[in-house]
Amino acid sequence: MRVGFNPHKDKIQETGDYFHQVILPVYIPSFEGYFKDSFEILKLCLESLFQSSHKKTYITIVNNGSCKEVTVYLERLLSENKIQELINTTNIGKINAVLKGLAGVRVPLITISDADVMFLIGWQEATYNVFRSFPKAGVVCPTPSSKSYKTFTSNIYWDLFWSKKLRFTPVKNRAALEAFAHSIGNEEFYKEYHLKQFLTVSSNEGTKAVVGAGHFIATYREEVFAGKLPKFTRYRLGGTSEQEVLDLPSVKRGFWRLSTEDNYACHLGNVVEPWMKEKLLSVKKNATPSEAPALLERKASRLEYYLKIKLFAKIIFAKKILSKILWMKGLPKDVSGKY
């Protein structure tokens, strides 16, 4: 039996003061083997996020089947209002966890991050600056990579093929690239020439951004996810799931995938090292809320996506053609063929 009238019926949902959501899927089933240090890594990750983020940041944690100790810790963070949302599930996989985090909150900017990232001071403002400077930016990563220049980026080459705004420029933070290579257990991930130059775009005001974006941490326009997304993916990790949910929706709308010129986050991996706690000490509390960048909506046609991403990519990324393009954009001839 129902008595009375629900006072919330037919009321418009308020968005609140938040304009930036951060989604972190967390999967720590035990403290053994691969996951031996994962709980400490998670604490470093979250503490750096709390310290470096402004007050208009809505933090969503998707507890993706973690063990009891981790679950209790996350529930305490929720009760202490350090996070705004906690979603508990069984292990449904990283991307399915992300899809759950995307539901129910609407803000203009959404950061999706792995749980082994250290957020550095200024990461939000640096990200916003790229969105402000490049109206076509749809995804912005705070960790630039010299090797991201041909992953769903052919629309940038199409738009700026003859422009001097698309050029190779000196790497801003060589040490950060070397640290990332160390964090994934592959010291040779970057060759010497990767550590010297990367492909960038320049705005009219002189702001630079690196072509391409990874997705162990990246910030997306909300508009990217406004279209039709899969309800679930059959992959727990990897496969085509990240392409379907994180890569293609942006370029299908004609947006660019970019990264900040300097480095504003560290990949921690799954082993705690002494430098991590030292680095965390430098991440001071960011008490000044930033303003959301103005984002212009953009609609791309299916023909544009087919021409710039499907067809043009096959042409320009052919090895012989690509080497000539890279030379034309500023790489030395002896490097352009192997970059």
Side-chain angles (χ1 to χ4, degrees), residues 1-281:
M1 182 179 74
R2 179 187 298 147
V3 177
F5 184 81
N6 190 323
H8 296 289
K9 185 176 175 62
D10 299 328
K11 294 293 179 72
I12 300 297
Q13 176 69 40
E14 298 293 334
T15 59
D17 293 330
Y18 303 103
F19 65 78
H20 189 164
Q21 181 187 18
V22 177
I23 301 173
L24 275 88
V26 176
Y27 174 60
I28 306 176
S30 69
F31 303 143
E32 300 175 355
Y34 180 89
F35 300 98
K36 179 177 178 292
D37 289 351
S38 292
F39 195 13
E40 290 305 311
I41 292 288
L42 173 64
K43 290 178 180 178
L44 289 168
C45 169
L46 289 176
E47 187 57 36
S48 71
L49 176 60
F50 300 151
Q51 289 290 99
S52 63
S53 302
H54 56 66
K55 294 181 180 179
K56 295 184 179 181
T57 307
Y58 187 97
I59 301 174
T60 297
I61 306 294
V62 185
N63 179 20
N64 191 24
S66 297
C67 62
K68 182 177 179 180
E69 292 88 340
V70 175
T71 300
V72 169
Y73 166 73
L74 295 175
E75 289 175 344
R76 184 171 74 249
L77 293 181
L78 181 66
S79 68
E80 293 173 352
N81 296 317
K82 290 186 174 181
I83 63 176
Q84 283 63 52
E85 183 179 29
L86 175 61
I87 302 170
N88 290 303
T89 76
T90 56
N91 180 17
I92 57 175
K94 173 186 172 180
I95 297 301
N96 287 324
V98 168
L99 290 170
K100 281 188 174 291
L102 288 170
V105 179
R106 188 167 188 182
V107 291
L109 294 169
I110 302 166
T111 295
I112 297 171
S113 173
D114 289 352
D116 60 350
V117 171
M118 181 173 288
F119 296 79
L120 303 181
I121 199 71
W123 73 273
Q124 285 178 307
E125 189 56 39
T127 298
Y128 300 164
N129 191 42
V130 174
F131 280 112
R132 292 187 189 105
S133 301
F134 302 95
K136 288 187 177 181
V139 183
V140 177
C141 176
T143 58
S145 172
S146 307
K147 301 179 79 170
S148 64
Y149 68 97
K150 58 180 182 179
T151 304
F152 298 106
T153 55
S154 57
N155 57 347
I156 301 176
Y157 292 79
W158 176 290
D159 293 342
L160 299 176
F161 191 83
W162 300 110
S163 174
K164 292 183 179 179
K165 293 180 180 179
L166 180 64
R167 301 286 296 175
F168 277 89
T169 59
V171 166
K172 182 94 172 182
N173 191 335
R174 176 187 174 118
L177 296 184
E178 293 174 327
F180 176 79
H182 173 76
S183 75
I184 61 173
N186 182 3
E187 305 288 350
E188 303 300 318
F189 183 73
Y190 291 114
K191 305 301 182 186
E192 181 62 26
Y193 43 80
H194 291 129
L195 298 171
K196 288 183 176 180
Q197 290 178 287
F198 46 28
L199 188 61
T200 61
V201 293
S202 299
S203 69
N204 292 332
E205 298 77 24
T207 300
K208 289 187 178 68
V210 177
V211 173
H215 37 55
F216 79 92
I217 172 175
T219 300
Y220 303 76
R221 292 168 173 257
E222 186 271 340
E223 183 183 349
V224 167
F225 302 115
K228 186 177 181 181
L229 288 175
K231 289 185 177 181
F232 69 95
T233 174
R234 59 194 178 94
Y235 294 100
R236 287 198 173 187
L237 191 65
T240 60
S241 60
E242 291 181 329
Q243 289 185 12
E244 293 173 358
V245 177
L246 303 181
D247 295 334
L248 289 176
S250 177
V251 294
K252 283 183 176 179
R253 287 164 179 77
F255 290 124
W256 293 353
R257 297 174 56 80
L258 300 172
S259 298
T260 54
E261 186 185 18
D262 205 345
N263 186 75
Y264 293 91
C266 298
H267 182 248
L268 301 178
N270 66 326
V271 177
V272 173
E273 297 177 85
W275 68 265
M276 296 176 181
K277 293 183 180 180
E278 295 173 9
K279 192 74 172 178
L280 182 62
L281 293 176

